[in-house]
Amino acid sequence: MKPSYIRVIIDRMIHRELDYSVPETLAARVGVGSRVRVPFRDKSALATVVATLEQSDVEAIRPIEAIVGDAPVISANLLELAKWMSAYYCCPLETVMRSLLPQVIRKAKIGWKKQLFVQPARKIDNKEVEKLKKRAPRQAELLETIAKLEAPMPAAQLLRKTSLDNQTLRALVKRGLVQLHEEAVERDPHGDEKFIETINLELNAEQAIALKQIADALEAPESAHPVLLHGVTGSGKTEIYLQAIRAAVEHERSAIVLVPEISLTPQTVERFKGRFAEAPGAVAVLHSHLSEGERHDEWQKINSGRARIVIGARSAVFAPLKNLGLIIVDEEHENTYKQEEAPRYHARDVAVVRAKIDKCAVVLGSATPSLESYHNAMTGKYKLATLTQRVDTRQMPLMRIVDLRQERRKEKAAAILSEKLRGAIADRLEKREQTILFLNRRGFSTSLLCSNCGEARDCPNCSVALTFHRHVARLSCHLCGHTAAVPKKCPACGKDALIFAGFGTEKVESTVAHLFPKAAVRRMDADSMTRKEAYRETLLSFRAGKIDILVGTQMIAKGLHFPNVTLVGIINADLALHLPDFRAGERTFQLLTQVAGRAGRGETPGEVFVQTYTPFSPSIQFARHHDFAGYFQQELEFRERCDFPPFKHAILITVRSTHEERAKFSAETLTRRLKEWLEPEFILSEATPAPLEKLQGQFRFHILLRGNAIMRLSRQVRETLDKLPFPEDVIVTVDVDPYQLL
Ligand code: ADP
Ligand code: ZN
C-alpha cells in the first residue's frame, strides 16, 4: 500500500515527530528512511521519514514538498537502533540521527563528483587537422590527440597529458569539432594503491577453536552470544577476523570491522583490502580523514550494496550495510569508542545492540578486555575465546620495574631516564636494535612556577597549568588551545625567579638526543605530526631502521608492528594512576600491557622498563607478571565494593556556566529535584565542583548517579530535566556510562 501520510523527524531540534501528507505523485517513492523536504513553520526543512501511516489525526495536515535523493538513507533496523540510543543515552532522536547520517548525506544535493569528458564531435580527418595547423597550431595539436581517443577522456587528464590549456579546448568545442559532457565519477581514497592478495593462513589450535565459536554464532545468530576474543598482542586475532569475514561473505552476508581511529593505519587497511583483493571495491573505509566527497562516495557504495565489508572508526558502526552478518570490534577496551559529545554513545555497546537488532554475530577483541566485557564473559552474557600464545610462540617481553624514588636519591636527572633505562638504550644502540620511549604528555615543561611566591602560570580559561613548548617558545593550554608568551619575571610577585617544572615528550626527546648524540631520535605526538603525511613518513622511516629511538605519546602505543624494536621504556607509569577516576587503575594496566606488546615482535626477545614512583600498585605488579586473571579479579572486587561499573551503571550530569554562582545554584537545585523524583533504588551523589573546575571559561559541577536499571534511570533523568527551567547561560549535559570523569 502506498503511504498517504508519513511521520518524520526534522533535522532541527524540536524534540517532536511531525505528520505530513504525501501527494499521490510522490507516494510510490516514499518509505521509512526516505529523506524529504517539508514545510515547517514558514520555511522548509529537511527531514527523515520514521513511519508511514494510513491515517493521521493532525488537523490541516500539510503535504511534503519533495523527496530528496533516490533511495532511503536509513533502514528500519537502523532506525530502531537510533531509537534505542535516544532512550539509553538520554539524548534527542534528532541528535542521534546526526551521528547516524554523515553530514554530506543529509545535505539536499547528492554530491557525486562530476567530471568533464572529451570526445570528438564527429569523425575528424587528417585534412582538417592540417588546415587548422596553419592558423591555430595548438588547437591542431589537441585535435589530433582527441581524434585518436578510443573512449571519452576526462578533460583534466587530457590537458595534463598534452600540456595544453582549457582555452584551446574551448576553442575546438566552439568550432564544433569536439564535444564535452559531464559524467559522475566515484572517488576512491585508496584507488591509487595496489593490494597484494593474501590467503587464509592455517590456524593454530587455539585460533581454530576461537574461529569455530564465531562460525557457530554466524550459523545461528538469533541464539548466539557476543564473543569476547581475549588474545595477547600478536596471538593472531586479526587473522581470525579475516577468516570470520570470509565465512560471512561466503554466506552472502556483509561485515563491519571497527578499529580505534589511531589503529586505522595504512597497514591495517592494507591487510583487509589484501585479503579481499579479488574485489577491491568490496571493502569500504570510513574514517575522519576522508574528504566530504570521499565520505559521500564510500557511504553510497555501502548503501547501494556494492561494498560488503566496512572497516572504520567509531561511527562505522552505523554503516548502512544490508544483510549484516558480522560486527567485529577490535581493541574493544579503547576509550576512543566513546563519543565525548552528544550522542555520547559507546560504539562497542552500540555494536552489541545493533547485532541483536540485525540478528548477526558480534566479536569483541582485545589483549586487555575492559572490565565490563570481561565481567559479561564471566557471567555468561558473552562467550569467551582465549588465545594465550603468540603465534610464533615467542616469549612475552621481560618487564622490569624501575623505582624512581630510589633512582632519584642517586641523582636528580634520573626522573626522566633512570640509569638502568639509559644503560639499556646504549646497549640497543650498540646492537643496532630499536627503542620506543613512551610518555603520555606533550610539550617541554608541564608548568612554569615562581620559586619565590610559588605561583604557577595557569590558563586564564581552564583550571590547569600552561605547558611550555620549546619549538615555538610559548606557553599553551592543552585543553582550550590558549597560548601566551613566556614572561621574564613572575607576573604575581615581580621577582626574576621563574622555573620550569615537569616534563613532556619534547624534553624527553632533547634529553635523549643530548645523552646519545649519535643516535637518530624522532618524536611522534600531536605537535610533531601536524602534517597529514608526517605520521606515515615517520612510521616508514622507523620501519626502515632510519630511526634508532622513537619518543612518543599514545600515538605509538598501539597496534603497530616493528620487528626490530627490542626495548620499550615507559617514562612515567603513574600519570594515569593519579587521575580522580575509578578506571585509573584499569587504564594503567591496559596501557602497560599494550605498550609492552610493542617490544620483541621479531627474532630477539623484548624488554620493557617501567619507571614509576608507585612500584607496588596492583596495576603495575599484575601487568609486570602478565597476569590478566589476577588483575581482573582484584579490580572487580574493588568495583563491586564501591558500586562502580560493571556492577552498577553510572550517569554523569555536568552543569556548567561562565557564571560560577549560577552553575552551582543550578546543580544544587537539580540535585534536590533528582532526590525527590528519582526512585530510591538509585544512588545519587551531591553536586560537587568537577575535578576540572574550570574549562574554556566555564565553571563546572558534577552530579553522579548510579543504578542497575539504566533505561529507567535515563528516563527519569530526562523527565526531571524537562521539567526544570535552567537559566539560559547554564548548560546541562548528561553522559550515560561516562568515561571522562574530569
Ligand atoms: P593480533 O591481531 O592478535 O595482534 P595478528 O593477527 O596480527 O595478531 O598476528 C600476528 C602475526 O602472526 C601476523 O603477522 C600474522 O600474519 C601472523 N599469523 C597469525 N596467525 C597465523 C597463523 N595461524 N600462522 C602463521 N602466522 C600467523
Ligand atoms: Zn585553557
Side-chain angles (χ1 to χ4, degrees):
M1 228 224 53
K2 288 173 198 163
S4 19
Y5 300 99
I6 53 171
R7 186 157 292 163
V8 307
I9 50 170
I10 63 171
D11 289 4
R12 281 186 238 156
M13 288 292 208
I14 57 159
H15 305 335
R16 242 173 350 116
E17 297 178 348
L18 302 171
D19 289 1
Y20 289 90
S21 66
V22 183
E24 215 165 301
T25 48
L26 298 179
R29 288 167 47 215
V30 173
V32 170
S34 296
R35 294 280 288 168
V36 290
R37 183 178 285 289
V38 298
F40 178 66
R41 297 192 182 132
D42 53 350
K43 295 202 186 76
S44 73
L46 289 172
T48 311
V49 180
V50 295
T52 57
L53 315 166
E54 278 172 37
Q55 52 195 37
S56 164
D57 41 24
V58 174
E59 281 169 36
I61 194 163
R62 295 205 274 174
I64 64 168
E65 293 167 356
I67 299 172
V68 180
D70 321 317
V73 291
I74 186 163
S75 65
N77 281 359
L78 276 174
L79 203 57
E80 190 181 337
L81 184 69
K83 287 180 181 162
W84 175 85
M85 285 176 67
S86 168
Y88 186 96
Y89 291 109
C90 208
C91 176
L93 192 54
E94 297 96 309
T95 311
V96 175
M97 292 301 259
R98 253 189 290 149
S99 272
L100 233 80
L101 289 179
Q103 163 79 17
V104 52
I105 300 300
R106 277 184 287 122
K107 278 194 261 180
K109 285 207 198 74
I110 294 294
W112 289 108
K113 184 174 170 186
K114 296 272 173 45
Q115 244 182 24
L116 274 184
F117 281 76
V118 186
Q119 66 192 104
R122 53 184 163 76
K123 185 135 182 49
I124 310 284
D125 58 35
N126 255 342
K127 266 189 238 143
E128 270 173 298
V129 177
E130 290 303 319
K131 223 169 75 194
L132 201 58
K133 248 184 199 159
K134 296 185 194 109
R135 278 182 298 147
R138 274 183 305 172
Q139 286 179 37
E141 187 189 338
L142 189 59
L143 183 62
E144 208 172 352
T145 317
I146 296 172
K148 284 188 211 136
L149 287 179
E150 278 167 11
M153 184 185 235
Q157 194 184 340
L158 175 76
L159 296 178
R160 232 181 1 243
K161 199 175 128 193
T162 55
S163 314
L164 291 166
D165 59 14
N166 202 22
Q167 222 177 336
T168 317
L169 179 61
R170 296 282 164 185
L172 288 174
V173 175
K174 225 167 157 189
R175 286 177 195 276
L177 296 167
V178 167
Q179 253 177 11
L180 295 178
H181 68 277
E182 259 191 349
E183 243 176 66
V185 291
E186 196 170 274
R187 286 148 290 207
D188 180 351
H190 298 276
D192 301 341
E193 298 161 48
K194 284 260 176 302
F195 297 97
I196 300 161
E197 192 163 348
T198 63
I199 52 164
N200 283 357
L201 299 172
E202 194 175 321
L203 299 182
N204 64 33
E206 283 187 331
Q207 281 178 310
I209 293 171
L211 182 63
K212 173 81 172 53
Q213 277 177 292
I214 301 169
D216 288 347
L218 277 171
E219 292 292 331
E222 284 93 351
S223 57
H225 296 275
V227 176
L228 176 62
L229 179 60
H230 176 199
V232 297
T233 1
S235 58
K237 294 187 293 296
T238 311
E239 181 62 31
I240 296 177
Y241 303 154
L242 291 165
Q243 300 201 13
I245 297 169
R246 173 64 75 197
V249 170
E250 276 166 7
H251 283 80
E252 301 292 316
R253 307 195 68 176
S254 54
I256 298 176
V257 185
L258 298 183
V259 297
E261 184 83 51
I262 33 178
S263 333
L264 199 46
T265 57
Q267 260 177 297
T268 313
V269 173
E270 205 177 298
R271 260 183 106 177
F272 285 85
K273 288 240 181 194
R275 188 59 60 90
F276 300 94
E278 79 275 4
V283 180
V285 182
L286 293 174
H287 58 78
S288 63
H289 290 306
L290 295 182
S291 68
E292 284 279 272
E294 286 170 339
R295 191 186 315 283
H296 168 269
D297 292 5
E298 292 290 285
W299 195 92
Q300 294 290 357
K301 210 156 80 181
I302 300 164
N303 201 38
S304 68
R306 272 174 297 144
R308 308 286 303 277
I309 300 163
V310 174
I311 163 160
R314 185 169 63 219
S315 64
V317 72
F318 307 122
L321 286 164
K322 315 245 151 48
N323 209 2
L324 191 58
L326 175 65
I327 308 178
I328 291 163
V329 185
D330 189 29
E331 312 277 1
E332 64 87 27
H333 64 279
E334 273 290 335
N335 291 343
T336 53
Y337 283 126
K338 170 79 173 174
Q339 176 153 297
E340 292 298 348
E341 60 194 56
R344 296 182 165 75
Y345 69 94
H346 196 296
R348 173 199 59 218
D349 300 336
V350 172
V352 170
V353 175
R354 179 165 186 194
K356 213 182 279 167
I357 295 172
D358 271 307
K359 299 199 179 55
C360 76
V362 60
V363 178
L364 314 178
S366 174
T368 52
S370 62
L371 263 271
E372 284 83 353
S373 296
Y374 193 77
H375 183 63
N376 280 333
M378 294 294 101
T379 56
K381 261 175 94 177
Y382 295 175
K383 271 220 155 62
L384 185 64
T386 316
L387 308 176
T388 55
Q389 301 277 320
R390 285 189 174 192
V391 166
D392 42 27
T393 62
R394 214 161 285 142
Q395 299 281 303
M396 292 305 280
L398 194 60
M399 294 263 238
R400 299 184 189 280
I401 310 294
V402 181
D403 185 345
L404 285 179
R405 295 170 307 181
Q406 285 179 14
E407 292 286 320
R408 249 221 134 128
R409 255 170 248 141
K410 284 189 252 165
E411 51 165 341
K412 209 162 149 249
I416 298 182
L417 285 185
S418 60
E419 209 179 330
K420 290 184 184 127
L421 182 51
R422 269 182 312 205
I425 297 174
D427 177 57
R428 292 320 186 287
L429 286 173
E430 199 149 293
K431 291 199 223 142
R432 304 218 46 84
E433 291 169 8
Q434 291 171 299
T435 299
I436 288 179
L437 296 177
F438 175 84
L439 179 66
N440 219 358
R441 200 158 57 183
R442 301 184 280 125
F444 193 81
S445 298
T446 46
S447 57
L448 182 60
L449 295 170
C450 175
S451 61
N452 180 50
C453 71
E455 195 79 2
R457 289 290 85 214
D458 282 341
C459 175
N461 313 317
C462 312
S463 42
V464 292
L466 294 171
T467 299
F468 174 59
H469 288 257
R470 199 169 66 170
H471 67 291
V472 287
R474 278 181 86 77
L475 300 169
S476 94
C477 171
H478 287 181
L479 296 178
C480 74
H482 170 86
T483 73
V486 182
K488 289 232 157 40
K489 293 187 179 123
C490 173
C493 71
K495 279 264 160 49
D496 183 6
L498 291 175
I499 48 166
F500 289 105
F503 59 88
T505 42
E506 214 184 351
K507 183 143 183 189
V508 175
E509 179 193 23
S510 85
T511 307
V512 171
H514 178 74
L515 286 171
F516 305 103
K518 290 207 191 98
V521 184
R522 205 57 154 284
R523 175 165 54 93
M524 194 151 160
D525 58 24
D527 299 318
S528 67
M529 297 289 126
T530 45
R531 275 186 316 120
K532 203 176 151 190
E533 319 81 58
Y535 181 71
R536 200 180 159 162
E537 281 164 18
T538 306
L539 291 183
L540 281 176
S541 19
F542 192 52
R543 171 143 325 137
K546 289 181 198 147
I547 299 170
D548 300 310
I549 304 170
L550 188 62
V551 179
T553 53
Q554 61 186 16
M555 262 187 196
I556 56 173
K558 329 225 154 112
L560 308 169
H561 304 229
F562 299 110
N564 199 35
V565 172
T566 57
L567 173 65
V568 171
I570 295 166
I571 304 292
N572 185 341
D574 307 335
L575 280 185
L577 264 184
H578 301 311
L579 293 177
D581 179 341
F582 66 87
R583 285 196 186 84
E586 182 182 0
R587 285 195 183 136
T588 303
F589 178 81
Q590 286 167 348
L591 184 72
L592 293 186
T593 309
Q594 296 279 343
V595 174
R598 302 300 115 228
R601 296 184 71 114
E603 300 295 309
T604 335
E607 207 176 14
V608 179
F609 282 77
V610 180
Q611 304 195 131
T612 170
Y613 286 101
T614 53
F616 298 108
S617 84
S619 8
I620 291 177
Q621 284 300 325
F622 282 112
R624 172 188 187 180
H625 295 111
H626 309 289
D627 181 2
F628 304 96
Y631 179 71
F632 286 132
Q633 199 47 47
Q634 71 90 34
E635 184 68 21
L636 280 174
E637 277 164 22
F638 155 71
R639 299 281 183 91
E640 186 161 27
R641 258 199 328 274
C642 309
D643 278 328
F644 277 131
F647 296 93
K648 289 258 189 312
H649 280 283
I651 295 185
L652 182 67
I653 303 180
T654 305
V655 181
R656 57 190 161 93
S657 169
T658 46
H659 292 91
E660 187 169 8
E661 275 312 309
R662 248 179 292 193
K664 183 161 184 265
F665 178 77
S666 300
E668 284 167 356
T669 313
L670 176 57
T671 315
R672 265 201 309 280
R673 291 289 168 267
L674 287 167
K675 242 177 222 158
E676 281 169 40
W677 291 338
L678 290 188
E679 287 171 58
E681 68 173 270
F682 298 120
I683 307 169
L684 173 68
S685 78
E686 292 299 325
T688 50
L692 198 57
E693 282 183 63
K694 196 176 165 205
L695 177 64
Q696 302 185 332
Q698 292 183 316
F699 296 89
R700 309 163 72 244
F701 289 82
H702 275 172
I703 304 165
L704 189 68
L705 301 160
R706 278 169 293 163
N708 287 320
I710 184 69
M711 279 293 196
R712 198 143 38 89
L713 182 54
S714 270
R715 201 186 58 234
Q716 291 176 20
V717 168
R718 174 90 280 145
E719 285 165 3
T720 308
L721 289 174
D722 285 347
K723 275 188 268 182
L724 272 185
F726 288 100
E728 208 162 81
D729 58 356
V730 171
I731 299 160
V732 181
T733 58
V734 179
D735 190 352
V736 177
D737 298 337
Y739 276 71
Q740 279 285 1
L741 299 174
L742 298 178

